[in-house]
Amino acid sequence: MIGKAARPGSATPVVTYALMGICCAVFVLGPTSGLTIWPAAPGADTSGPAQLAAQSAYFARWGVVPEELWHGPPGEALTPLTALFLHGNWLHLLGNMLFLHVFGAMAEERMGRVAFALFYLAAGVLALLGYAAAHAHSEQTLVGASGAISGVLGAFLYLFPRARVTSLFPFLFFLPLRFPAWAVLLFWFVLQWLAARAADDRPGVAYLAHVVGFSLGFLYAWARYRRAVRVKGAAGPSEGLSSPGGPPPTPDRSQP
């Protein structure tokens, strides 16, 4: 999905851009981007095996390991927050940032900057906790912003159901087609739900975190804005190219 979802003339989505900037900076400065030497100590071993070991230690330190979260030291309670800003590879990062860029701006404008920031963090943390609760004894590391971004998608579905999204479907030879947001997002959600039912706690995409985040986002928007007038159709259409498979899979370290 590429493009902009913000309506013409809308305010700059400061929080959305800030979240994207933080995620990108953390990734570039971390050991998985390939752009830095990690660890950076003079004389450190920078061979392939050493870098892989550094990556594993990095994710284990800052990502969510369900077994450690529930039965480990108190400091593990912070990992559902730190894990939101980690990504396993370039595809994982760019896919998530693309979804956040397209859907985050309009959601931020509707909610307000502070409320949107708190909503994003809460949805992400709760999505990770939901996955960790379902796989309480898993020792796979969970990283990624997809749970939070899925929350944004759920809220967007309630707030802007008729906004238009340009989508590309591989089985239609990538022919660009325009659909209302409700059709694209519900289709995406069903794919995540089906994948979550078939998944286990082995390395892969944490589809359950997507389902939890999306559901929480929709329920929050419904509870918060159900007495307000919903936006029936955006003044300007959501622009973008959407691949309905969701934020792309990454080598998990289960990644939402």
Side-chain angles (χ1 to χ4, degrees), residues 170-196:
F171 56 85
L172 294 177
F173 305 101
F174 295 98
L175 180 68
L177 300 173
R178 294 178 67 79
F179 296 97
W182 68 264
V184 175
L185 293 177
L186 283 179
F187 180 62
W188 179 87
F189 177 76
V190 169
L191 291 181
Q192 307 308 301
W193 180 73
L194 292 175

Side-chain angles (χ1 to χ4, degrees), residues 35-197:
L35 301 178
T36 58
I37 301 299
W38 191 281
D45 184 1
T46 59
S47 63
Q51 281 295 96
L52 290 177
Q55 292 174 14
S56 296
Y58 177 75
F59 286 122
R61 174 65 182 85
W62 301 108
V64 175
V65 181
E67 173 70 25
E68 293 294 320
L69 177 64
W70 303 124
H71 306 105
E76 293 295 320
L78 294 177
T79 58
L81 180 62
T82 58
L84 293 180
F85 300 97
L86 306 182
H87 290 83
N89 57 33
W90 282 99
L91 188 61
H92 189 206
L93 172 73
L94 295 177
N96 275 343
M97 295 305 96
L98 209 50
F99 271 69
L100 180 57
H101 175 65
V102 169
F103 291 102
M106 287 176 68
E108 178 182 343
E109 182 184 7
R110 182 69 176 86
M111 294 182 184
R113 290 173 180 170
V114 174
F116 177 75
L118 295 175
F119 161 77
Y120 178 93
L121 295 175
V125 168
L126 291 174
L128 291 173
L129 289 176
Y131 180 93
H135 302 284
H137 298 290
S138 173
E139 296 183 353
Q140 295 295 332
T141 309
L142 188 67
V143 300
S146 301
I149 296 169
S150 296
V152 173
L153 300 187
F156 191 99
L157 173 61
Y158 183 83
L159 296 173
F160 306 101
R162 298 183 185 178
R164 308 294 292 184
V165 178
T166 301
S167 305
L168 294 179
F169 293 93
F171 56 85
L172 294 177
F173 305 101
F174 295 98
L175 180 68
L177 300 173
R178 294 178 67 79
F179 296 97
W182 68 264
V184 175
L185 293 177
L186 283 179
F187 180 62
W188 179 87
F189 177 76
V190 169
L191 291 181
Q192 307 308 301
W193 180 73
L194 292 175
R197 292 190 62 188

